[in-house]
Amino acid sequence: MDATLGLPILVGLIAVALLFDFLNGLHDAANSIATIVSTRVLRPQYAVLWAAFFNFFAFLVFGLNVARTIGTGIIEPSVIDAHVIFAALIGAIAWNLITWGLGIPSSSSHALIGGLVGGGIAKAGLSAAVWSGLSKTLLAIVLSPLVGFLLALVLIAVVSWASVRSTPFAVDRAFRILQFASASLYSLGHGGNDAQKTMGIIAVLLYSQGFLGHDFSVPFWVVLACQASMALGTLMGGWRIVRTMGLRITKLTPMQGFCAETGGAATLFIATWLGVPVSTTHTITGAIVGVGAARRLSAVRWNVASSIVYAWVITIPAAAIIAAAAYWSVLPLR
């Protein structure tokens, strides 16, 4: 345990972690608002306000199981010190900025996990990883978009059957209203799962410095700071990725937008209560593909969807490599 870290450096690392959280909100704003914007239910400037509000208050709905998984279930807590945290954040932030600049909806969550793995292994080798927690997270890479896909398909079938005797105008009007609820639920799920990842990073940093005593916990000020940073990032938008998520994968109607958001929200709620740090990007993409495929397979632009999948596959190793390089670069300064 690195107990000699000066207060200015500790504060600086916490600030970098909150910067990552801000960028997470910026990068993943599309997850919360792409469907409601693409169906023209809300204008972009109002959609980000709506999403940011529910992003912030998500801590009132969920526990802190995901934060505990990040803090103790990816890398052995005894291995983590300020240098590992610094490397993890650099790896995650760098990969987020690269994919944001290219308009690719990659996973901020898995970038952070990759950064932790890269920094931890650079310090202590393969024994640094908590393989049980890491394998659960890797499994979620496959399951979260698949569950989102299947739930969206089921919802499309149910609401289509329920609406069979209604006019297209009545259906469109009803689901424009219902999208406010589904977007709210998805934003809650996004804020509940994603903000907790930065909470876990800051909490394990404080734990490594002896500020939390013998038991790992997440101070309330950390909860508030992380939720606020993510909400502020969401307010800043992320319009390049909004275009990819909401327009380029498939064309959405209000009914399809409702089903995609509701299916994605249900997946996030389940994962957050189980303490699994899933990717909100993967989840909503799977749901959007699901509602598009329910209409017909050709409605989905599979070349766009496949390019997103490639980004998913390389996110953890890419962020891990950047983090390991960052860790080795600071070794001469120790």
Side-chain angles (χ1 to χ4, degrees):
M1 187 177 292
D2 180 8
T4 62
L5 192 63
L7 184 60
I9 298 177
L10 177 63
V11 172
L13 282 173
I14 292 173
V16 174
L18 292 175
L19 172 63
F20 167 78
D21 205 31
F22 171 84
L23 291 173
N24 191 344
L26 176 71
H27 189 276
D28 289 359
N31 300 347
S32 298
I33 69 172
T35 51
I36 202 168
V37 170
S38 66
T39 56
R40 293 182 171 83
V41 172
L42 273 180
R43 293 181 180 180
Q45 60 268 36
Y46 299 129
V48 292
L49 284 169
W50 188 265
F53 176 84
F54 289 99
N55 271 189
F56 178 76
F57 286 104
F59 73 94
L60 297 175
V61 178
F62 301 100
L64 298 175
N65 294 332
V66 174
R68 294 187 184 95
T69 298
I70 291 293
T72 62
I74 303 297
I75 295 294
E76 291 289 348
S78 59
V79 170
I80 294 177
D81 60 16
H83 298 88
V84 172
I85 294 295
F86 173 78
L89 291 171
I90 291 299
I93 289 172
W95 186 246
N96 263 1
L97 290 174
I98 290 169
T99 53
W100 178 63
L102 295 174
I104 299 171
S106 67
S107 169
S108 299
S109 307
H110 293 143
L112 183 59
I113 290 166
L116 267 178
V117 171
I121 290 178
K123 177 183 178 182
L126 293 176
S127 62
V130 179
W131 293 107
S132 58
L134 189 57
S135 60
K136 180 172 66 173
T137 300
L138 294 175
L139 182 62
I141 293 178
V142 177
L143 289 183
S144 60
L146 181 60
V147 171
F149 177 91
L150 293 175
L151 286 177
L153 274 178
V154 170
L155 283 167
I156 278 286
V158 171
V159 300
S160 296
W161 176 82
S163 305
V164 69
R165 295 186 178 181
S166 301
T167 65
F169 176 79
V171 170
D172 186 76
R173 183 177 59 183
F175 282 100
R176 283 180 178 276
I177 297 171
L178 287 171
Q179 262 205 281
F180 284 99
S182 61
S184 303
L185 291 173
Y186 194 85
S187 294
L188 274 177
H190 175 253
N193 201 281
D194 270 19
Q196 287 194 48
K197 292 150 191 170
T198 307
M199 293 177 204
I201 288 289
I202 295 176
V204 78
L205 175 62
L206 295 172
Y207 178 75
S208 74
Q209 301 304 304
F211 285 99
L212 302 182
H214 296 292
D215 298 321
F216 178 85
S217 60
V218 183
F220 187 60
W221 69 265
V222 173
V223 174
L224 288 180
C226 290
Q227 297 286 174
S229 296
M230 172 158 288
L232 186 60
T234 301
L235 279 175
M236 301 299 292
W239 310 118
R240 292 169 65 91
I241 298 174
V242 168
R243 181 173 179 270
T244 299
M245 297 288 289
L247 300 175
R248 292 183 60 201
I249 294 176
T250 189
K251 185 178 179 181
L252 296 174
T253 65
M255 183 181 76
Q256 292 171 322
F258 168 82
C259 292
E261 288 164 346
T262 305
T267 305
L268 293 181
F269 275 49
I270 294 168
T272 303
W273 280 322
L274 292 175
V276 180
V278 298
S279 167
T280 56
T281 308
H282 294 191
T283 303
I284 195 62
T285 303
I288 290 173
V289 170
V291 297
R295 186 165 70 242
R296 62 181 186 278
L297 289 178
S298 61
V300 178
R301 296 183 177 92
W302 294 103
N303 60 326
V304 176
S306 63
S307 68
I308 295 171
V309 172
Y310 297 148
W312 294 353
V313 171
I314 65 174
T315 288
I316 288 182
I321 290 169
I322 297 171
Y327 181 85
W328 289 322
S329 71
V330 300
L331 280 180
L333 303 178
R334 301 186 66 168

